Amino acid sequence: MIGLFEDPDLARWNQRREVDYASGACLAVRREVFSDLGGFDEAFVPAYCEDADLCFRLRKRGLKIVYEPKAEIVHHLSVTAESIDSGYKLRLATRNQQTFVERWGEELELLNAVRTIAFHLPQFHAIPENDRWWGAGFTEWTNVTRALPNYRGHYQPHRPADLGFYDLSQADALRRQGELARRYGVGGFCHYFYWFSGGRRVLERPLEHLLTGAAGDFPFCLCWANENWTRTWDGQENDVLLEQTYAPGDAEALIAELAPFFARPNYIRVNGKPLVLIYRMGLLPDAKAWTDIWRAWCRANGVGEIYLAFVENFEHAGVHPEPAALGFDASVEFPPAGAATPIHPPGAVINPHFKGQVADYRRMVRHYFTEAVPGHTRFRGVAPSWDNTARRQDAPYVFHFASPGAFQAWLEVMLAETRRQNFGDERIVFINAWNEWAEGAHLEPDVKFGHGWLEAVRNALDADLLKR
């Protein structure tokens, strides 16, 4: 019932896509297949759920149910049933829904599941490059611990609780993260992959633990962080430390570096295809050429088909370019990119050098509730909070009034929207992020909210079950 009682001209309802079933008001199926199945099951006589049952039996045969938006009909809903008596339709629908659920309940649960994938930052361990650029022993915790509040009521610094100041060069730290995430229903991590032209990699140690299996079996995928490495953290983004270039042969070299991860049994797949993200698609000199190379290389080297998605940030926030035209399968919403409306700091400013901006987290959430949904496959995103004071003490962007309650409400809506818009393995919601402590965006327990952010995830998933 895609777009039921809504404007049929909206882009979101005009996307040809796979669905779990299509209404019997307008179905087209090959006659020989329909006859071979025995037609509609007489257990549903005279009507209601016979169309869904037929579609599920077709799916069981390995066929797909495809929604075609170009087909237009006029259907007078329930006119026949309601002409008999007021309770006739209700009695039929109730009886047949029970029959349908008894027959297909397990399949329904699988189809309705929505996975949550949290972005994961590997910067919590020392590396020679950071020692040289920022000082011996520098990690993300260095930024986090020195943050100070800029105005009264400003929540800084963010301090970790249960997991402490971990070191991701140790496989056990990753293992404990996965165990905690799994306990609260987080479905996987999307780890940033830092690779530069010529095969230069940094922050690779945690990913080596994923490759060997030492970090456990928690599901994961990778996102190529294809930006210049700059001093943007301290406001000097024009000072390039590692330049990201796109030389001939780089596309092949990159996918060859990624391919061993795809073979891991816990690598996240969409319809059997390894899921791969790119952080800044707009920086590629020719996105379609690069994606064509990646796909061809994977076919030729035993990987098979891959599932490519780009992150909607910076130049793509709120713009919604069509993924297929650029060689991608989907896009990934990346809040709070492009969704800030500045407000006055809600408390007296106590940092005389403060020249940052403050926005209302609750208003940002409402923005994403009402944003127009494009007509292509897109993974919705949520963020528990955002405040990068730890990276830019005097000039941060702060989303005030963030709370686990508001975050849970947001996630509940995105789970429901994902079920309406996407199908099967494409029912995914991304969370920004698991451990972006210096940006104030973390599901990991902190000393203020404890397990509140994780409990919000668990509660949203439970609420989603109850609302079906």
Side-chain angles (χ1 to χ4, degrees), residues 96-403:
N96 288 357
Q97 284 172 4
Q98 183 63 35
T99 301
F100 180 81
V101 170
E102 288 174 356
R103 180 178 294 181
W104 298 106
E106 186 175 337
E107 179 75 6
L108 278 170
E109 285 301 309
L110 291 173
L111 281 173
N112 284 329
V114 178
R115 290 182 284 182
T116 54
I117 301 175
F119 285 100
H120 187 285
L121 185 71
Q123 181 87 285
F124 298 89
H125 67 291
I127 61 173
E129 290 86 352
N130 278 338
D131 287 347
R132 183 167 65 252
W133 296 327
W134 309 97
F138 175 90
T139 73
E140 191 79 345
W141 296 124
T142 308
N143 284 327
V144 172
T145 54
R146 65 190 180 194
L148 297 170
N150 283 307
Y151 54 87
R152 297 196 184 280
H154 182 197
Y155 170 38
Q156 281 294 347
H158 290 215
R159 303 273 183 167
D162 299 41
L163 298 177
F165 294 98
Y166 50 75
D167 180 349
L168 288 183
S169 68
Q170 305 300 312
D172 185 61
L174 280 165
R175 184 184 294 274
R176 288 189 297 133
Q177 287 179 324
E179 291 170 351
L180 183 61
R182 179 178 275 131
R183 190 188 316 162
Y184 285 94
V186 178
F189 291 150
C190 182
H191 296 269
Y192 288 112
F193 187 86
Y194 293 87
W195 184 97
F196 296 85
S197 186
R200 173 81 175 272
R201 286 183 60 188
V202 294
L203 299 172
E204 71 279 4
R205 186 70 180 275
L207 300 190
E208 291 174 354
H209 296 316
L210 298 175
L211 195 56
T212 63
D217 62 354
F218 190 66
F220 75 97
C221 61
L222 299 177
C223 176
W224 180 31
N226 62 315
E227 290 185 301
N228 289 335
W229 194 307
T230 71
R231 292 184 180 272
T232 186
W233 294 346
D234 61 0
Q236 300 180 58
E237 54 272 5
N238 293 323
D239 188 354
V240 177
L241 306 173
L242 274 178
E243 186 178 8
Q244 184 65 265
T245 60
Y246 304 91
D250 277 356
E252 294 88 344
L254 170 63
I255 199 67
E257 290 266 13
L258 292 170
F261 294 92
F262 303 160
R264 294 296 307 167
N266 54 324
Y267 195 90
I268 294 171
R269 294 174 176 267
V270 175
N271 299 326
K273 308 170 187 177
L275 171 61
V276 188
L277 275 64
I278 180 170
Y279 188 64
R280 295 289 301 275
M281 182 270 292
L283 297 182
L284 292 177
D286 185 337
K288 186 64 168 59
W290 274 64
T291 56
D292 285 347
I293 290 171
W294 290 336
R295 294 184 190 280
W297 190 97
C298 287
R299 294 184 191 115
N301 288 274
V303 174
E305 299 297 329
I306 56 175
Y307 193 100
L308 295 173
F310 64 83
V311 177
E312 297 176 6
N313 57 17
F314 299 98
E315 64 272 15
H316 294 127
V319 178
H320 311 313
E322 171 59 50
L326 299 163
F328 289 84
D329 298 286
S331 63
V332 179
E333 191 174 46
F334 196 67
T341 303
I343 62 172
H344 290 292
V349 174
I350 55 179
N351 174 10
H353 305 293
F354 179 66
K355 54 182 182 295
Q357 296 192 64
V358 180
D360 189 327
Y361 176 88
R362 302 163 302 183
R363 186 182 299 178
M364 183 261 291
V365 169
R366 290 195 293 270
H367 163 83
Y368 284 103
F369 281 1
T370 59
E371 185 184 29
V373 178
H376 63 250
T377 302
R378 183 186 191 221
F379 303 129
R380 301 306 300 266
V382 294
S385 180
W386 180 270
D387 177 357
N388 62 353
T389 297
R391 290 184 173 174
R392 296 168 175 256
Q393 177 64 58
D394 297 332
Y397 217 122
V398 181
F399 282 84
H400 201 84
F401 303 113
S403 69

Side-chain angles (χ1 to χ4, degrees), residues 396-417:
Y397 217 122
V398 181
F399 282 84
H400 201 84
F401 303 113
S403 69
F407 171 61
Q408 178 180 327
W410 186 5
L411 181 53
E412 286 185 23
V413 171
M414 292 301 102
L415 291 170
E417 281 290 287

